[in-house]
Amino acid sequence: MTYDNANIFAKILRGEIPCHKVYEDQDTIAFMDIMPQAPGHMLVVPKAASRNLLDADPATLGKLMAVVQKVAVAAKAAFAADGVRISQFNEAPAGQTVFHLHVHVIPMHEGQRLGHHGGKQEDGAVLAANAEKMKATLAKV
Ligand code: AMP
């Protein structure tokens, strides 16, 4: 399986399509998932190209997971969550739909049931408000 640089996250990384960005550094970007399974659902994406974890450079994974931790800690605070789910899918039979490595960060509340994976597109204003909440929290932690 090869990497296709026409995938939607490659387009976001090149600035060809917009996203509700919450974090960016030299190697990594994080933005709101457009079809959140729970309020505050985010994706953490390395800038380096790989289809998923299976073909990624281990050094990329190290930097990626450090940002996943930072975003998860901030998400718990920003959304007053009781826990945070981290998930990551490799190839279509495992649930992957976008073929550029990414990690889901989903704030969870006691008793909460998750929406469908790739369910309903969220209102842009809600995503923008959640991104602002995250950015403000990340600036403090
Ligand atoms: P996966 O099944 O792990 O490949 O998940 C891909 C995720 O990307 C899904 O949760 C989608 O809701 C999300 N997604 C797809 N297109 C976009 C987009 N343009 N901006 C933000 N998230 C997206």
Side-chain angles (χ1 to χ4, degrees), residues 9 31-35 43 89 95-98 102 104 117:
F9 295 166
F31 51 85
M32 305 312 296
D33 192 306
I34 207 168
M35 290 176 269
L43 301 168
F89 308 121
Q96 188 176 8
T97 59
V98 177
H102 56 278
H104 297 258
H117 182 57

Side-chain angles (χ1 to χ4, degrees), residues 8 17 22 27 36 38 50-51 53 58 65 68 73 78 81 102 122 128-129:
I8 197 114
I17 65 163
V22 301
D27 305 298
S50 75
R51 279 176 68 82
L53 176 142
M65 288 313 286
V68 168
V73 168
H102 56 278
E122 183 56 280

Side-chain angles (χ1 to χ4, degrees), residues 3-125:
Y3 179 80
D4 176 4
N5 68 10
N7 76 75
I8 197 114
F9 295 166
K11 289 182 182 171
I12 287 175
L13 287 167
R14 290 194 296 267
E16 292 168 11
I17 65 163
C19 70
H20 294 280
K21 186 162 67 180
V22 301
Y23 175 87
E24 181 167 12
D25 65 25
Q26 206 183 320
D27 305 298
T28 312
I29 186 170
F31 51 85
M32 305 312 296
D33 192 306
I34 207 168
M35 290 176 269
Q37 286 182 266
H41 181 169
M42 285 167 283
L43 301 168
V44 185
V45 180
K47 294 182 179 178
S50 75
R51 279 176 68 82
N52 50 47
L53 176 142
L54 303 177
D55 61 333
D57 180 341
T60 297
L61 296 178
K63 290 177 192 157
L64 178 66
M65 288 313 286
V67 177
V68 168
Q69 182 189 38
K70 190 193 289 273
V71 169
V73 168
K76 188 166 181 290
F79 299 100
D82 301 306
V84 184
R85 182 171 296 193
I86 305 297
S87 58
Q88 191 277 320
F89 308 121
N90 300 286
E91 300 300 335
Q96 188 176 8
T97 59
V98 177
F99 296 93
H100 178 112
L101 174 60
H102 56 278
V103 176
H104 297 258
V105 176
I106 309 177
M108 300 288 299
H109 291 88
E110 191 69 45
Q112 171 192 355
R113 291 181 60 185
L114 281 188
H116 283 303
H117 182 57
K120 184 175 138 292
Q121 191 156 329
E122 183 56 280
D123 191 68

